[in-house]
Amino acid sequence: MTKALTHGCRYGPKYLFSRTAFFFLSTFFYMQPHASLAESTYFRLTDAIADTLHNDRQVGVLILDVVEQQGVVQEKAAPFDYYVNSEIEHDSIRDAQDISTGVKSTKWAHENRGRIEVAKKTRPGTRILMGSEVLQSHNPVSNLVDSAADGSIAGLFLRIEQPLLKDLLYGRERVDEIAEKWILEAVKSNTLLEISARILETIEFYWDLAASQKIIDIQMDSVKKTEELMRNTDDLIKEDEIPKSDRVQVLALLANENIALEAARQEAITSTQQLFFLTGLGDRITDPVVIDWKLDDFPKIKKIPLGDEQIIQKFISIGIMNRPEILSLKSQLMASKYIVIGDLNALLPSLDIVGEISSSNLQMGRRTRSLSSILSRDQSETDASVMLRFSMPLQQSEARGRLRQQAAESERFNLLLSRSRHKAMVKIREATTQHATLAELVDKAEEEVKYNSELVSNEIIRLNAGASTLFVVLDFQRRLTNSKRELVRLQARYAKNLALLYYEMGILLSSTPCFNEYAVANVEQFVDE
């Protein structure tokens, strides 16, 4: 059954499940990881997946890689933030004097300055600076000579610098930010790939445990039937219908069945311990032997034609679009291409147009002029200027060197991407072929179990009628048990290969950008539509 999971980006995991996958959707419902699994009798596959995503430390470490890269992206956006600068200055002059006349005073002169400005650099490269400033001065010499005077100035200004060649649209700071955003997408894809691998491991160990439990049931039933056969053999020996030596054959079979039973129990314990490790349940449950889990049944078998090229190509197309490692390489390739664009831009000469406009108003005397007076045209002075600025380095060694590096890096990502696509085609074709093969083998194994069951039943009837031998019955009983075990193992392989097929197609697990919500493919049902 498919599950979707969600947890908070900041405050830790919390899961929301839904039957959602690449081509099948259904409603969402809440589910929390097991609080007291030791008391549980039903442990679904979706519970194991939820516990893995909730408790596995490695999943948390992988998500922190995304958070770290998000911080890098945020850091690269810093040059485009708004900046506010302000300053206030006060100057005091003792025994002020007028230089032009040489007149001195025994009093203090004062000068106050205030300035505030807002700066902004846009991503296309435009630099904007706007603000206001106030200057007020008082000189006691002004009372003695005409050349010195008290006064104040209030002003507003706006300055715009627009690059026309270098730094236009794709300046270094801009392309670094774009590249880090694409690297963030690559990190997300890599994280999704790693988490998908953890989920695949959980699914495989879950089906291994399910197979072990079923084999335990088969062995217990076989031991029970062998013990029953032993009692029947003793009855036949008492009636002198078979020799006493035949009892040894039954004892040997019974010993063999008990050994197989113990081996199946050990396999179940191993699978349980592996699940404990992946799901994090080992922190709360330390003795897997005492837990009697009821697990999901194996997926229903759905046959597909062996070598059906239409289905294979459909799955390959899905894989090419969704495999995380392919998406990661595409993102890294895009990051590299933008850095190349930035390096090409850095080779251009700098040609900037600078425009500035300012308005100020002067007030003579001790009174300070207000900023509002600047808005009055008949009182304020307006200045405007335009400047064209050009510069060009003669060597460009740094930009040319970076360009060569990134050109090689882009080519490397292209080669890796081509190899990854080829690998996806091979892996998906292999998993699809294996699916068709296993489905056919399961079908034949079911027939074998059916026929062997009939053979054992018929042969026991013949033995009781004196028309068969104990050796033949034991042989058929052994065949039946082996065929049942083989059927279970094939069913487990089919179930694990189904999850592997979704993994190879890149749709086993999907996530929201901040990894607070997951969708897991329905690994208990094969869908090819």
Side-chain angles (χ1 to χ4, degrees):
M1 182 178 292
T2 300
K3 301 285 188 180
L5 311 99
T6 178
H7 64 78
C9 289
R10 293 184 179 179
Y11 306 112
K14 179 182 179 183
Y15 291 109
L16 173 68
F17 276 60
S18 165
R19 300 185 64 179
T20 309
F22 184 76
F23 18 57
F24 31 87
L25 302 171
S26 68
T27 57
F28 284 83
F29 60 95
Y30 281 97
M31 174 177 284
Q32 293 293 336
H34 283 51
S36 58
L37 188 58
E39 301 174 359
S40 175
T41 58
Y42 198 0
F43 187 51
R44 301 182 63 86
L45 175 59
T46 47
D47 297 330
I49 294 173
D51 287 326
T52 299
L53 290 170
H54 187 274
N55 300 319
D56 190 356
R57 275 78 166 175
Q58 184 62 27
V59 172
V61 170
L62 293 169
I63 294 176
L64 287 177
D65 292 339
V66 176
V67 176
E68 182 179 353
Q69 184 59 29
Q70 287 173 336
V72 174
V73 172
Q74 187 175 10
E75 178 186 2
K76 293 299 181 181
F80 309 109
D81 291 344
Y82 285 92
Y83 290 88
V84 177
N85 304 313
S86 62
E87 60 181 34
I88 299 175
E89 181 182 357
H90 173 77
D91 291 337
S92 296
I93 305 174
R94 183 180 179 181
D95 298 334
Q97 55 184 310
D98 182 64
I99 297 177
S100 60
T101 62
V103 177
K104 296 184 178 181
S105 171
T106 59
K107 298 182 179 180
W108 287 82
H110 302 282
E111 186 173 89
N112 299 315
R113 298 184 183 87
R115 180 185 178 92
I116 185 170
E117 61 185 26
V118 178
K120 167 68 176 176
K121 180 180 179 180
T122 65
R123 285 171 171 81
T126 306
R127 296 180 178 87
I128 302 172
L129 180 67
M130 61 183 301
S132 65
E133 55 186 350
V134 176
L135 171 64
Q136 180 190 33
S137 64
H138 166 63
N139 193 337
V141 181
S142 62
N143 297 326
L144 303 176
V145 296
D146 294 336
S147 61
D150 293 341
S152 64
I153 299 176
L156 296 174
F157 60 90
L158 173 65
R159 178 185 176 92
I160 299 177
E161 298 183 18
Q162 177 61 55
L164 301 178
L165 292 176
K166 184 178 180 179
D167 292 335
L168 177 63
L169 298 178
Y170 298 107
R172 173 57 54 201
E173 293 170 337
R174 173 58 174 153
V175 298
D176 283 348
E177 182 192 31
I178 296 175
E180 292 299 337
K181 286 182 177 179
W182 280 109
I183 292 175
L184 173 60
E185 295 304 313
V187 172
K188 289 179 180 179
S189 297
N190 289 333
T191 298
L192 190 64
L193 176 63
E194 294 295 329
I195 296 177
S196 298
R198 304 293 286 186
I199 296 303
L200 180 61
E201 281 188 88
T202 297
I203 294 171
E204 289 177 341
F205 283 120
Y206 182 92
W207 291 131
D208 283 340
L209 178 58
S212 296
Q213 285 194 347
K214 289 182 179 296
I215 290 175
I216 288 173
D217 293 338
I218 291 171
Q219 289 302 136
M220 291 179 67
D221 182 66
S222 181
V223 168
K224 182 179 178 181
K225 289 181 177 179
T226 305
E227 290 174 345
E228 182 180 349
L229 185 60
M230 172 65 73
R231 289 191 293 270
N232 293 337
T233 301
D234 289 339
D235 292 339
L236 292 174
I237 292 174
K238 289 179 181 179
E239 296 175 2
D240 294 328
E241 295 186 14
I242 59 174
K244 290 182 179 181
S245 59
D246 286 357
R247 192 173 190 274
V248 178
Q249 299 180 41
V250 184
L251 289 173
L253 177 60
L254 183 59
N256 181 266
E257 297 297 346
N258 280 312
I259 291 173
L261 175 59
E262 185 59 31
R265 285 172 174 164
Q266 291 301 318
E267 289 179 3
I269 292 174
T270 300
S271 299
T272 303
Q273 290 172 335
Q274 294 290 347
L275 272 180
F276 277 4
F277 174 74
L278 288 170
T279 60
L281 298 176
D283 295 342
R284 289 170 283 164
I285 304 173
T286 58
D287 188 2
V289 181
V290 301
I291 300 175
D292 184 17
W293 283 338
K294 181 180 178 182
L295 304 180
D296 289 339
D297 289 330
F298 290 123
K300 293 181 179 179
I301 304 300
K302 183 170 183 179
K303 292 184 179 181
I304 59 174
L306 182 62
D308 190 323
E309 199 61 29
Q310 183 176 358
I311 293 178
I312 292 175
Q313 290 302 321
K314 180 194 295 186
F315 289 169
I316 288 176
S317 298
I318 294 172
I320 296 298
M321 290 188 298
N322 293 279
R323 279 177 71 99
E325 68 270 31
I326 292 179
L327 298 179
S328 175
L329 287 171
K330 285 182 177 180
S331 297
Q332 293 178 73
L333 179 61
M334 289 300 299
S336 181
K337 285 183 177 180
Y338 272 102
I339 293 177
V340 168
I341 292 173
D343 292 336
L344 289 172
N345 182 272
L347 291 174
L348 299 174
S350 295
L351 179 62
D352 303 335
I353 184 170
V354 182
E356 184 172 2
I357 183 170
S358 63
S359 182
S360 60
N361 203 349
L362 173 65
Q363 172 69 39
M364 301 304 296
R366 297 289 299 271
R367 183 182 177 187
T368 302
R369 203 62 161 166
S370 65
L371 288 174
S372 61
S373 65
I374 303 172
L375 302 177
S376 177
R377 292 186 178 181
D378 57 341
Q379 295 180 337
S380 62
E381 173 186 282
T382 301
D383 297 323
S385 65
V386 178
M387 176 178 64
L388 197 62
R389 186 171 58 201
F390 177 83
S391 67
M392 182 178 68
L394 298 179
Q395 298 296 327
Q396 293 282 31
S397 298
E398 180 182 0
R400 293 181 186 278
R402 285 174 58 94
L403 184 59
R404 292 183 66 180
Q405 294 175 41
Q406 289 304 317
E409 189 77 356
S410 295
E411 183 61 24
R412 185 173 74 90
F413 284 131
N414 273 319
L415 293 174
L416 290 174
L417 185 58
S418 177
R419 187 183 71 172
S420 184
R421 285 171 174 162
H422 178 72
K423 178 182 176 182
M425 295 171 63
V426 173
K427 291 290 186 180
I428 293 172
R429 181 180 293 276
E430 180 181 332
T432 306
T433 302
Q434 188 75 349
H435 176 92
T437 302
L438 287 170
E440 189 66 32
L441 289 175
V442 169
D443 185 59
K444 292 180 178 179
E446 288 175 343
E447 290 184 0
E448 183 181 4
V449 169
K450 176 184 176 182
Y451 294 145
N452 282 331
S453 297
E454 293 178 0
L455 283 174
V456 170
S457 298
N458 294 336
E459 206 62 27
I460 289 176
I461 294 173
R462 294 184 63 198
L463 175 65
N464 293 331
S468 181
T469 65
L470 184 59
F471 177 80
V472 174
V473 173
L474 293 176
D475 183 55
F476 285 173
Q477 180 66 40
R478 189 180 296 108
R479 289 185 189 180
L480 175 60
T481 302
N482 290 339
S483 63
K484 285 182 177 180
R485 285 201 301 255
E486 183 62 22
L487 173 60
V488 170
R489 292 191 178 101
L490 286 172
Q491 289 173 328
R493 286 179 59 191
Y494 176 90
K496 291 191 289 185
N497 187 78
L498 180 58
L500 177 64
L501 177 59
Y502 288 151
Y503 174 80
E504 298 295 355
M505 288 194 292
I507 60 172
L508 179 62
L509 183 71
S510 60
S511 169
T512 54
C514 66
F515 286 82
N516 68 332
E517 190 172 309
Y518 297 93
V520 184
N522 190 345
V523 293
E524 296 177 271
Q525 179 181 354
F526 178 77
V527 178
D528 61 350
E529 299 176 357

